[in-house]
Amino acid sequence: MKKILVPFFTILVFSCFSSSNCLVAQETLKKEQLLEDFQIFESSLRQNHPQLFLYTSEQKLDSFFINAKKLIKNEMSPIEFYKILTPILPMVGNNHTNILPPKSFVEFISTETKRLPFSFFYKNDTLYVLEDVSKEYLIGEGSIVTAINGLEVSSIIHKFLENITTDGYNKTQPVYRASRGFSRYFGYYFGFPETFEVRYIDSGGKSRIAVIEAITLKEISKNRKSRNTTLTNGREDYRFEVVDDIGIITVRTFSLSNPKLFKRFLRETFQEIDTKDISTLLIDLRDNMGGYPEASNQLLEYLINETITPYKLEYAITDNIFNHEYFEDDIYFKHFKRQNLVEREGKYFVKGAVDTKLMPNKYAYNMELFILMNASSSSTTGQLIGLIKAYTEAIFIGEESGGNPVGIVANDILTLMLPNSKIEVKLPVIYSELNVDFQNSGRGIIPDIPITQTIDDLLKGKDTTLEHALKWISTN
């Protein structure tokens, strides 16, 4: 029976992040309410998450829960409480486990709140300006930011990384997230002031200081459009081309709006490769953050030369979600309740998961194969890259892939709604382990040929990473 929650005491207040900027009206929650949310949060993770202690020992997580609980004060806003919870994310080390602020807070900062008007690129401990969409337009693209409001960039990034979800010990993905979500994370952990004092090094190497006015996302979008910055360029979901006798298949997502069209694209593409006798193939999986395994498996069938069983095992640790009354009754929750689970030695295995077999397609490719990847090659794409490594002779180019190539907790991602703070916890409940011949190191696939983007590459608006990859392939 669902518990009826009666607030002990709430006061409508303004969460002010500076003396001149009050952000949004929020309820201040009493300690009893926050402790109730914390207990639901902790017990839900312990009883439902199948790999909670994969990268951090139970003893260390016990210490986290004890110490985090001590930080709860007599009165706190939901976003203050949120910041107590998020340090657990890199400890769990699962990219699909996440904690989100209340929707009302996210909506407000997306529509009304003013923020830092820049996009950044962080590389080798250096924060470059990728887009200057400020009113002043003083700093400019390519400049190096060294401090914001007296905070050194290194300490800012370190704070982000302490609170960002990632897979295991991955080195590329959390940094990518930190730089691309910089202004939002800065607001979460350092506030939303009216102005920013930015210390930077300009294109001439001279140290400067600029005071930049915070502006809304609407104003940022307007400035971006008027200045026609490189980040406005879109990309196709998938395509095929031939450059200097090298076939290039680009797939940017496996979350396809029309799976039949993708299936036809693969068939026609590999028929063309066979007809034209193309002996070198590059598959570009950069910025592909995953999607449906069925779609990635369709591509894999054109790359293998033997029948394979992709999954070694797949299981949950419960067949009845603990604290189920606090989870949203969405399609994922309903799907989990329909899962055909078989109990064995305290685990609940998904029946038939290990029986899945993939057979080589009639036009399967068996010549020289290269995979281009980066920090955003994650989730389903990370799995695909792991299977390609295990079952082909492919050479990997680019950056460490963002996903885990051995095991992933990503199926049936349920939404836990903490009843008082309205904080959302994304909690996957099924663990899948791939049938590969290497162990889980907590890292993505490390490239055989490292090629990384530079700020100059990005500012040119050209895909110089692909150019470098093609040059290496042709030369070698």
Side-chain angles (χ1 to χ4, degrees):
M1 180 175 172
K2 187 169 182 177
K3 185 177 179 181
I4 303 299
L5 298 170
V6 180
F8 293 94
F9 181 68
T10 58
I11 305 176
L12 198 62
V13 299
F14 288 95
S15 294
C16 298
F17 287 81
S18 74
S19 59
S20 60
N21 182 27
C22 289
L23 177 64
V24 59
Q26 291 190 82
E27 287 184 340
T28 297
L29 302 175
K30 297 293 286 184
K31 187 173 185 177
E32 292 87 344
Q33 294 173 292
L34 296 170
L35 287 173
E36 181 179 29
D37 276 11
F38 191 87
Q39 187 277 325
I40 293 169
F41 170 75
E42 179 181 351
S43 59
S44 296
L45 283 173
R46 288 184 182 276
Q47 300 297 323
N48 297 314
H49 199 295
Q51 289 289 345
L52 190 62
F53 310 112
L54 180 60
Y55 298 107
T56 302
S57 69
E58 186 171 3
Q59 183 180 11
K60 287 185 177 181
L61 274 181
D62 287 345
S63 295
F64 166 81
F65 287 122
I66 291 170
N67 294 327
K69 198 172 182 179
K70 292 177 181 177
L71 297 176
I72 298 175
K73 301 175 183 177
N74 287 332
E75 291 183 6
M76 298 183 77
S77 69
I79 194 63
E80 290 173 318
F81 180 56
Y82 165 82
K83 290 187 284 187
I84 290 176
L85 304 181
T86 52
I88 198 175
L89 293 174
M91 299 176 74
V92 174
N94 173 245
N95 191 32
H96 296 81
T97 303
N98 208 352
I99 304 172
L100 307 176
K103 286 181 179 177
S104 58
F105 178 84
V106 174
E107 182 179 355
F108 191 89
I109 66 171
S110 299
T111 56
E112 304 295 332
T113 306
K114 296 178 180 180
R115 60 174 65 195
L116 184 65
F118 298 96
S119 295
F120 293 106
F121 174 69
Y122 188 71
K123 194 76 174 179
N124 298 327
D125 301 322
T126 305
L127 187 68
Y128 299 94
V129 175
L130 189 57
E131 279 187 313
D132 181 346
V133 283
S134 63
K135 286 182 179 180
E136 298 83 1
Y137 202 53
L138 293 172
I139 297 179
E141 288 77 13
S143 297
I144 298 172
V145 174
T146 57
I148 300 172
N149 288 352
L151 298 168
E152 297 294 326
V153 161
S154 58
S155 65
I156 295 173
I157 294 290
H158 181 71
K159 182 67 174 179
F160 294 172
L161 297 181
E162 288 180 332
N163 294 275
I164 291 178
T165 185
T166 186
D167 270 321
Y169 313 118
N170 193 284
K171 301 297 183 183
T172 58
Q173 192 183 63
V175 170
Y176 176 88
R177 286 174 177 263
S179 58
R180 291 304 172 96
F182 192 97
S183 67
R184 175 167 51 88
Y185 287 123
F186 191 94
Y188 286 174
Y189 297 102
F190 300 104
F192 294 86
E194 291 283 356
T195 59
F196 298 91
E197 183 186 88
V198 181
R199 195 168 74 222
Y200 68 101
I201 301 171
D202 66 17
S203 57
K206 188 173 182 179
S207 296
R208 297 182 181 275
I209 295 177
V211 177
I212 304 298
E213 182 182 342
I215 58 177
T216 64
L217 277 176
K218 185 177 180 180
E219 292 173 291
I220 288 173
S221 179
K222 182 180 178 181
N223 291 345
R224 177 177 289 142
K225 186 176 181 180
S226 66
R227 292 171 193 169
N228 193 29
T229 62
T230 57
L231 294 191
T232 58
N233 296 332
R235 288 176 170 177
E236 301 169 278
D237 284 350
Y238 48 85
R239 68 175 183 272
F240 174 66
E241 57 187 322
V242 180
V243 177
D244 297 332
D245 297 325
I246 300 173
I248 305 171
I249 298 176
T250 302
V251 185
R252 296 290 182 223
T253 181
F254 291 114
S255 293
L256 304 166
S257 56
N258 192 328
K260 289 184 178 179
L261 281 181
F262 181 67
K263 190 174 183 179
R264 187 173 75 184
F265 161 77
L266 291 176
R267 182 178 68 252
E268 293 175 351
T269 295
F270 281 93
Q271 283 179 345
E272 181 178 348
I273 290 170
D274 183 68
T275 301
K276 293 183 177 179
D277 199 24
I278 293 172
S279 60
T280 305
L281 178 63
L282 173 69
I283 299 181
D284 186 355
L285 297 174
R286 290 173 299 160
D287 300 326
N288 187 328
M289 300 178 72
Y292 301 109
E294 294 81 2
S296 66
N297 285 342
Q298 287 171 0
L299 172 57
L300 184 60
E301 288 174 341
Y302 285 94
L303 305 177
I304 55 178
N305 56 22
E306 60 179 317
T307 299
I308 69 170
T309 303
Y311 295 103
K312 186 180 294 184
L313 52 84
E314 196 169 70
Y315 66 81
I317 60 170
T318 180
D319 62 346
N320 185 24
I321 298 300
F322 188 78
N323 287 334
H324 62 88
E325 64 269 33
Y326 300 112
F327 284 83
E328 290 189 0
D329 189 21
D330 56 16
I331 58 173
Y332 304 105
F333 190 86
K334 292 173 181 175
H335 183 267
F336 179 76
K337 289 196 293 186
R338 295 195 301 269
Q339 287 278 15
N340 192 350
L341 302 176
V342 179
E343 195 275 335
R344 190 169 67 248
E345 298 178 354
K347 295 176 181 176
Y348 295 84
F349 291 85
V350 179
K351 189 175 182 180
V354 298
D355 298 329
T356 301
K357 294 187 184 300
L358 299 180
M359 295 182 292
N361 188 278
K362 175 183 176 182
Y363 294 99
Y365 180 83
N366 59 6
M367 303 293 282
E368 198 169 37
L369 177 62
F370 298 86
I371 305 297
L372 187 56
M373 59 192 185
N374 65 4
S376 285
S377 304
S378 57
S379 191
T380 295
T381 307
Q383 285 194 339
L384 172 64
I385 289 172
L387 290 168
I388 291 174
K389 182 174 179 62
Y391 293 102
T392 76
E393 298 297 323
I395 295 174
F396 296 86
I397 303 177
E399 300 176 329
E400 175 186 358
S401 60
N404 192 293
V406 177
I408 185 171
V409 188
N411 289 345
D412 291 341
I413 304 174
L414 309 187
T415 300
L416 169 66
M417 178 70 73
L418 300 183
N420 297 299
S421 62
K422 305 303 178 186
I423 288 171
E424 293 185 21
V425 182
K426 297 297 183 181
L427 204 167
V429 291
I430 294 180
Y431 169 67
S432 303
E433 186 171 321
L434 296 180
N435 191 17
V436 295
D437 56 358
F438 46 89
Q439 298 298 312
N440 182 8
S441 66
R443 300 288 298 273
I445 295 298
I446 307 301
D448 301 301
I449 313 300
I451 298 177
T452 60
Q453 281 186 315
T454 67
I455 184 64
D456 291 336
D457 294 341
L458 291 169
L459 294 180
K460 286 175 183 176
K462 296 181 179 180
D463 194 349
T464 51
T465 301
L466 178 61
E467 292 174 6
H468 294 328
L470 293 175
K471 182 177 180 181
W472 187 94
I473 292 170
S474 297
T475 304
N476 291 274

